[in-house]
């Protein structure tokens, strides 16, 4: 059995899960109405109305004779590829990156990156609201590279060479951009006035996990992930159209959604600054459109002057692809941080590694990921089986102490301190550790969050089917009743959780037991609209735990015996934590009794008669006059 503090900790953890889920889903809707006009007002004040087209939303204005020319890179001839790049002469960059192995949620197409932007990835940017949309000429092209040449401003010649990074580990998701400037303007120019544009990675659907979408950068050994707060404002800060960072040692920067990302890695130079901005866009969710944030960034070149008729070249590696841990970790030294597992990164990383190994046993079978999740869950439960066994036996022993503890609560109803002291002494006498019953739950908390973080970004779950589930990355809705989706796996999870608790030895008072029984309801609402993969993991865990508990019923009940002062070999018994705590509480109680005029463990000393008379004659304080 767990003591009152342990129950409070457990319930607070559950309430924290629900609060986190509620806040994440509601935060944007609460801020949207209040901040929308403020954003518009600041944009009007700060942006020149005669400047270049507004970022993302408006198409660039082209000369009358300009015509868009496109070129496609796959790196392979006549083979199934993982990504298809479509380059455009308007801006001289990647118009879209399409993933033939990733089916779009709505329609018959495939997932595309940068689809909501009118400017290509790799376009030059004077500022966050001045993206280069000029026309470039394609001077060379092949199945693995393309070269653009053009002119910006008044005589700045630009050449861009895009090349697919070779190697099987790259899987086609990596590009190398070699960019050169030649100053033909007649005066020096500062190259920090120019940068490269990352494009957008919009949510795939309206109910995608918003805490996974944002913009990020890595500098000085630290990974920074941000979302819409700078652009939406808050209670103590106003909204601003752009966030500018001056990194000292940038390794990479980019944008992402729940499953895909685009980021740039400067090669051989340090950027002068990085800027980021975001806007709310209409994202489809079934038959309606929802407002969701879409972000973009820019990396400005070093602060250096380019003299007249001089040239300067820069190289950047660009990744446009899925947030797959197996692939991302091979791109750069610290790119594993892009998975953004947070505090539970060690657990999530291990779970992802183990899940990949198990999945490898089944090849490319359609049901492989579902079975892999089930097997991973079973392995975890087997590993913590000794803890589960010890926990169940401890709770049974605590249950047998309930009659004694009930008498103690009645006896010391007016003396909580004495009740705590006697309770600790009871634990010491029978050698019971009250925290032993909740130890498996405490161990499962980081494991649960690790699996939750891992499955939340596991692009491998997209489109993976299992039994009636069509997509393990989305809720397993089978039908709707009056507009309410019926998700089967979360219902199974809640039912098995209740059954599991019914089999668990009951402990604590009525209030504690009632609070504990609310846990299935809290987890039910928390997981109801999350990925089916997470509900599958939790449901499997409940079923395995039920089987383990039923097996435990065949083990003889533990006997409740007083703990011997000495062990069988005659040596003094080694005191545990709760025994030492009980002795400490007893010493404190004795000191308080002495200070109160009582013998330790005895009744209070009689008061002097003269002191009683003085106290009786002492007038009581009169309250303040209140008038008529």
């Amino acid at each position: 059995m767990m003591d009152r503090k342990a129950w409070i900790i457990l319930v607070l953890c559950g309430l924290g899960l629900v609060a986190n889920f509620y806040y994440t889903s509601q935060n944007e809707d609460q801020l949207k109405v209040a901040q929308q006009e403020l954003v518009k007002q600041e944009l009007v004040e700060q942006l020149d109305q005669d400047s270049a087209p507004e970022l993302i939303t408006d198409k660039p204005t082209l000369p009358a004779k300009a015509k868009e020319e496109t070129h496609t890179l796959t790196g392979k001839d006549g083979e199934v590829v993982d990504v298809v790049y479509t380059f455009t002469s308007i801006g001289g960059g990647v118009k879209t990156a399409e993933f033939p192995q990733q089916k779009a949620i709505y329609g018959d197409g495939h997932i595309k990156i940068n689809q909501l932007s009118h400017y290509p990835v790799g376009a030059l940017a004077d500022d966050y609201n001045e993206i280069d949309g000029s026309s470039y000429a394609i001077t060379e092209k092949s199945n693995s590279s393309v070269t653009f040449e053009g002119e910006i401003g008044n005589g700045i010649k630009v050449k861009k060479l895009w090349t697919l990074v070779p190697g099987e580990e790259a899987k086609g998701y990596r590009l190398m951009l070699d960019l050169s400037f030649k100053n033909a303007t007649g005066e020096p120019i500062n190259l920090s006035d120019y940068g490269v544009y990352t494009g957008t990675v919009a949510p795939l659907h309206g109910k995608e996990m918003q805490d996974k979408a944002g913009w990020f950068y890595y500098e000085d050994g630290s990974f920074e992930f941000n979302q819409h707060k700078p652009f939406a404002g808050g209670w103590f800060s106003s909204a601003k159209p752009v966030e500018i960072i001056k990194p000292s040692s940038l390794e990479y920067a980019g944008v992402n959604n729940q499953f895909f990302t685009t980021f740039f890695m400067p090669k051989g130079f340090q950027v002068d600054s990085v800027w980021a901005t975001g806007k709310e866009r209409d994202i489809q969710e079934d038959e309606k459109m929802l407002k969701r944030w879409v972000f973009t960034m820019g990396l400005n070149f070093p602060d250096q002057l380019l003299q007249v008729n001089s040239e300067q070249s820069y190289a950047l590696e660009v990744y446009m692809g899925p947030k797959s841990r197996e692939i991302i970790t091979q791109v750069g030294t610290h790119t594993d941080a892009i998975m953004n597992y947070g505090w539970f990164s060690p657990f999530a990383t291990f779970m992802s590694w183990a899940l990949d190994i198990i999945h490898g046993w089944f090849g490319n079978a359609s049901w492989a990921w579902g079975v892999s999740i089930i097997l991973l869950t079973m392995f975890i439960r087997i590993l913590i089986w000794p803890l589960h066994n010890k926990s169940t036996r401890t709770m049974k022993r605590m249950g047998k102490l309930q009659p004694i503890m009930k008498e103690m609560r009645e006896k010391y109803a007016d003396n909580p301190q004495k009740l705590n002291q006697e309770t600790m002494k009871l634990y010491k006498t029978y050698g019971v550790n009250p925290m032993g019953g909740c130890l498996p739950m405490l161990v499962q908390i980081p494991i649960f969050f690790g699996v939750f973080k891992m499955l939340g970004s596991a692009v491998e779950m997209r489109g993976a089917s299992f039994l009636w589930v069509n997509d393990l990355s989305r809720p397993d809705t089978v039908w709707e009743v009056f507009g309410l989706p019926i998700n089967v796996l979360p219902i199974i999870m809640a039912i098995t959780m209740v059954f599991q608790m019914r089999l668990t030895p009951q402990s604590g008072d009525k209030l504690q037991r009632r609070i504990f029984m609310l846990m299935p309801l809290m987890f039910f609402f928390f997981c109801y609209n999350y990925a089916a993969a997470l509900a599958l993991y939790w449901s499997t865990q409940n079923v395995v735990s039920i089987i383990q508990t039923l097996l435990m019923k065949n083990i003889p009940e533990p006997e409740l015996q007083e703990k011997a002062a000495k062990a069988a070999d005659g040596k003094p018994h080694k005191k545990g934590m709760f025994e030492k705590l009980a002795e400490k509480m007893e010493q404190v109680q004795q000191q308080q009794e002495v200070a109160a005029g009582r013998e330790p463990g005895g009744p209070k000393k009689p008061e002097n008669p003269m002191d009683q008379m003085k106290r009786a004659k002492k007038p009581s304080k009169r309250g303040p006059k209140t008038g008529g």
Side-chain angles (χ1 to χ4, degrees), residues 155-168:
I156 303 175
K157 298 183 183 298
V158 179
K159 182 178 180 180
K160 298 180 182 181
L161 171 61
W162 291 88
T163 308
L164 282 172
V165 175
E168 187 62 29

Side-chain angles (χ1 to χ4, degrees), residues 343-415:
W343 291 352
F344 301 95
S345 179
F347 296 94
T349 300
F350 174 78
M351 296 300 170
S352 178
W353 171 80
L355 191 63
D356 287 341
I357 290 180
I358 296 172
H359 179 264
W361 300 346
F362 306 105
N364 295 322
S366 59
W367 42 263
W369 285 111
V371 173
S372 299
I373 293 173
I374 293 175
L375 291 178
L376 175 64
T377 310
M378 294 175 65
F379 292 154
I380 294 173
R381 292 302 305 181
I382 291 173
L383 287 176
I384 66 174
W385 165 260
L387 291 175
H388 179 81
N389 184 17
K390 187 175 182 179
S391 167
T392 304
R393 294 182 65 83
T394 299
M395 294 182 71
K396 287 182 177 180
R397 296 178 66 196
M398 293 288 288
K400 291 186 177 183
L401 287 177
Q402 286 305 303
I404 303 176
M405 296 185 68
K406 183 178 180 181
E407 294 178 2
M408 290 169 51
R409 282 193 289 267
E410 294 174 354
K411 182 178 179 180
Y412 302 107
D414 298 330
N415 193 347

Side-chain angles (χ1 to χ4, degrees), residues 20-54:
N20 176 70
F21 166 71
Y22 178 80
Y23 176 79
T24 300
S25 60
Q26 297 295 325
N27 183 49
E28 292 184 0
D29 293 334
Q30 292 173 353
L31 291 174
K32 180 176 61 178
V33 176
Q35 300 298 335
Q36 191 171 18
E37 292 300 323
L38 180 60
V39 174
K40 290 181 179 180
Q41 181 180 353
E42 291 206 5
L43 284 173
V44 170
E45 293 174 355
Q46 297 187 29
L47 299 181
D48 181 5
Q49 297 299 316
D50 297 327
S51 64
E54 188 180 0

Side-chain angles (χ1 to χ4, degrees), residues 10-20 519 522:
L10 184 61
V11 172
L12 287 177
C13 288
L15 292 176
L17 293 175
V18 176
N20 176 70
M519 293 295 290
M522 290 188 293

